[in-house]
Amino acid sequence: MHARRRPRPTPVWWRDVAGVLCWSSVLVVVALWVSGRGLQTLVTGTADLLTSLGRLSGLVAADLLLVQVFLMARVPMIERSYGQDELARRHRLVGFWSFNLLLAHIALILAGYTLRDHNNLLRETWTVVTTYGGMLLAVAASAALTVVVLTSIKVARRALRYESWHLLHLYAYVGVGLSVPHEIWTGADFTTSRVARLYWWSAYGVALGAIVLYRLALPLWRTLRHGLTVRDVIREAPGVVTVLLGGRGLHRMPVRAGQYFVFRFLDGPGWSRGNPYSLSASPAPDRLRVTAKSAGDGSSRLARLRPGTRVAVEGPYGRLTAERRVTDRVAMFACGIGITPLRALLEELDYRPGDAVLVYRAHSVADLVFRDELEQLAHRRGITLHYLLGPRLAARESWLPERARFSSDEDAVRRLVPGISQYDVYVCGPDRWMDAMCAAVLAAGLPAAQLHQERFSW
Ligand SMILES: Cc1cc2nc3c(=O)[nH]c(=O)nc-3n(C[C@H](O)[C@H](O)[C@H](O)COP(=O)(O)OP(=O)(O)OC[C@H]3O[C@@H](n4cnc5c(N)ncnc54)[C@H](O)[C@@H]3O)c2cc1C
């Protein structure tokens, strides 16, 4: 059997390069606007001032839109430097900025043209939309982007099923695509400057290339190369199953404990919907293992999978790995099915007996997944194991069960893991529990750089 290939550590400078590239792209766009007489036209009258600022906001909005596409293209350099959680946060922030600038672009350009043509706003808007090249498509692009932004607002997002939200979010690509013709046909920068044209075509090319390469070609290649199939399905606890997967040349797959894949089980209708699951055991040269709790249609079909079912994968993704460690000791805090990546990490990480603690929060003994495995692992590797069982504490937001109501959240952390500041802490569980857990470990004195977390939410 072949030894597993260890993924290379992520160089810390990757993150800086990615940040510098994103900011440089905005600087280039501003520089192109300046070289296209953007600054001079600010002082040649109110109409020109408004139009010129409208051009600038439109250019930066378009650039940020491409940055956003790039951030979510799963480029390994970006994914491994930032992690999906942080990328999603940045993607959101950049998205709202780009949309606000888009609104400013529309308002400023229309106001500028109205003044220039001594027209009224409504008539000018009609003229611009119906006579300028690519403008009808630009209106459709703005509508698509508005749908994406509205459905990304937290209240709307909560009201939508993941699949509906995901499908609507794909309209962003439609928005980017439909906005291109008006930039080419009417954008002053495109029509007058060769350098600007070169920049914009390259930027569109890089964004499109990243999507095609990393969201389509690489997952397809990995799926075909490794030929993953279901080997076995094992019931672990009520509503929780483990799926064992086998495949070719898995030792060459650059995956580590703590990471996840987006899986598509090719077992019939509905196969095209991907669901993310973390590995629940350290990846072996001949098999991968995931364990999932039934939460809806996608996860409950796992219990019905038959051996031999083919599996398509995207990934591996995620930064909840050994690479993030800065100390010799590890403390793991898991809640519910959040135990999966931590179980795999406890197996793979290096630590001395007595230097690892697992605190596992569950509703009852019957809900403890991997109990036997964890106890064997604890015995073999000298892990201190604490189960915290019982219903949630009702009186306050807390990571503790009801029976621990007389303890503060951070005191409980200090009691279970004395000297917490000398540990790397890995946390995984439901969102609200994670918020309380992370707040408690930080309040108990853990430096933020030693806190590593994975959220099972979108
Ligand atoms: C990085 C990551 C790792 C995960 N690892 C595990 C694991 O090891 N074991 C496990 O049991 N669960 C894990 N999950 C959660 C699991 O992906 C969802 O429970 C599952 O996708 C639900 O799909 P469904 O069709 O069964 O339910 P649905 O009815 O579609 O949804 C049920 C809930 O799951 C969420 N959800 C649905 N699809 C997705 C998606 N593609 N991405 C994120 N959330 C989604 C929805 O917000 C909803 O609240 C992980 C999630 C993420 C983001």
Side-chain angles (χ1 to χ4, degrees):
M1 194 176 291
H2 300 274
R4 159 156 291 286
R5 187 183 118 194
R6 287 234 160 215
R8 274 191 297 264
T10 311
V12 278
W13 55 265
W14 277 13
R15 197 181 157 99
D16 300 334
V17 170
V20 167
L21 282 178
C22 289
W23 281 110
S24 310
S25 75
V26 177
L27 281 179
V28 170
V29 164
V30 175
L32 288 172
W33 169 79
V34 172
S35 77
R37 295 181 45 79
L39 275 179
Q40 282 102 314
T41 42
L42 290 181
V43 289
T44 50
T46 314
D48 284 349
L49 170 94
L50 294 172
T51 312
S52 186
L53 288 177
R55 260 177 56 211
L56 178 62
S57 48
L59 292 170
V60 178
D63 193 64
L64 291 183
L65 210 62
L66 292 180
V67 167
Q68 258 186 295
V69 171
F70 194 70
L71 285 184
M72 295 320 269
R74 305 271 196 185
V75 179
M77 176 178 173
I78 310 263
E79 226 294 311
R80 283 170 54 189
S81 311
Y82 289 91
Q84 269 307 300
D85 282 6
E86 192 179 341
L87 275 182
R89 268 199 308 280
R90 285 173 187 250
H91 168 79
R92 215 176 139 73
L93 187 74
V94 175
F96 279 109
W97 268 104
S98 126
F99 187 68
N100 289 337
L101 285 167
L102 170 71
L103 295 181
H105 166 67
I106 297 169
L108 288 164
I109 290 282
L110 288 176
Y113 284 11
T114 304
L115 274 181
R116 182 197 64 188
D117 298 343
H118 307 290
N119 208 341
N120 83 40
L121 185 61
L122 280 181
R123 211 173 299 137
E124 186 67 33
T125 305
W126 181 251
T127 311
V128 169
V129 171
T130 53
T131 58
Y132 284 50
M135 280 313 297
L136 280 172
L137 293 177
V139 171
S142 308
L145 293 172
T146 306
V147 168
V148 174
V149 171
L150 289 180
T151 52
S152 300
I153 295 168
K154 275 196 179 125
V155 190
R157 228 170 78 160
R158 270 194 222 113
L160 287 170
R161 276 173 61 91
Y162 176 82
E163 305 92 272
S164 321
W165 173 83
H166 189 243
L167 199 66
L168 288 171
H169 220 70
L170 297 181
Y171 281 28
Y173 295 117
V174 176
V176 175
L178 292 181
S179 66
V180 176
H182 99 283
E183 287 163 24
I184 303 172
W185 293 330
T186 58
D189 291 80
F190 246 93
T191 48
T192 54
S193 158
R194 257 173 71 198
V195 183
R197 273 200 300 276
L198 181 70
Y199 171 78
W200 283 105
W201 281 126
S202 312
Y204 280 115
V206 168
L208 182 68
I211 293 287
V212 171
L213 190 60
Y214 295 113
R215 297 219 71 157
L216 302 174
L218 187 61
L220 188 66
W221 181 74
R222 283 221 167 107
T223 296
L224 295 175
R225 180 184 192 203
H226 296 293
L228 281 173
T229 54
V230 172
R231 289 274 161 85
D232 203 358
V233 178
I234 303 154
R235 189 180 170 279
E236 295 282 354
V240 180
V241 293
T242 280
V243 182
L244 287 176
L245 305 163
R248 293 185 296 271
L250 292 183
H251 59 286
R252 291 210 194 87
M253 201 183 246
V255 56
R256 308 195 71 157
Q259 292 194 294
Y260 67 95
F261 291 87
V262 176
F263 289 94
R264 289 184 172 80
F265 295 94
L266 311 183
D267 61 342
W271 66 267
S272 60
R273 241 197 86 194
N275 293 93
Y277 299 113
S278 306
L279 297 184
S280 62
S282 179
D286 61 340
R287 61 145 182 74
L288 299 176
R289 189 180 92 164
V290 291
T291 302
K293 185 180 166 108
S294 159
D297 296 345
S299 44
S300 41
R301 71 192 284 173
L302 300 191
R304 299 188 295 274
L305 288 175
R306 287 170 181 278
T309 304
R310 284 184 299 135
V311 186
V313 285
E314 275 176 59
Y317 300 134
R319 293 207 316 147
L320 193 78
T321 60
E323 225 186 88
R324 311 275 305 278
R325 265 179 88 183
V326 286
T327 73
D328 293 335
R329 298 175 178 186
V330 281
M332 310 260 168
F333 290 87
C335 181
I337 199 62
I339 187 68
T340 50
L342 304 190
R343 152 73 185 77
L345 278 166
L346 277 174
E347 197 179 353
E348 187 179 285
L349 295 184
D350 287 330
Y351 47 83
R352 288 188 303 265
D355 279 354
V357 183
L358 170 65
V359 181
Y360 185 5
R361 169 89 183 85
H363 194 263
S364 67
V365 173
D367 296 307
L368 288 172
V369 184
F370 310 132
R371 187 174 178 192
D372 291 347
E373 280 185 22
L374 288 171
E375 287 172 6
Q376 283 165 23
L377 196 63
H379 180 70
R380 206 172 65 239
R381 299 210 47 195
I383 304 165
T384 309
L385 192 53
H386 299 286
Y387 299 128
L388 290 189
L389 304 177
R392 279 184 215 169
L393 205 161
R396 59 172 206 265
E397 286 291 329
S398 171
W399 70 278
L400 295 168
E402 182 65 35
R403 70 170 68 152
R405 63 186 172 283
F406 298 117
S407 174
S408 82
D409 280 21
E410 56 266 34
D411 281 351
V413 169
R414 287 195 196 101
R415 244 193 339 273
L416 292 166
V417 189
I420 184 93
S421 60
Q422 288 145 38
Y423 282 76
D424 274 275
V425 172
Y426 289 78
V427 183
C428 188
D431 251 354
R432 279 170 61 191
W433 180 86
M434 296 261 305
D435 291 341
M437 187 72 252
C438 294
V441 286
L442 294 173
L446 183 81
Q450 287 161 230
L451 174 60
H452 319 298
Q453 43 174 315
E454 183 75 84
R455 287 181 187 255
F456 283 3
S457 55
W458 49 287

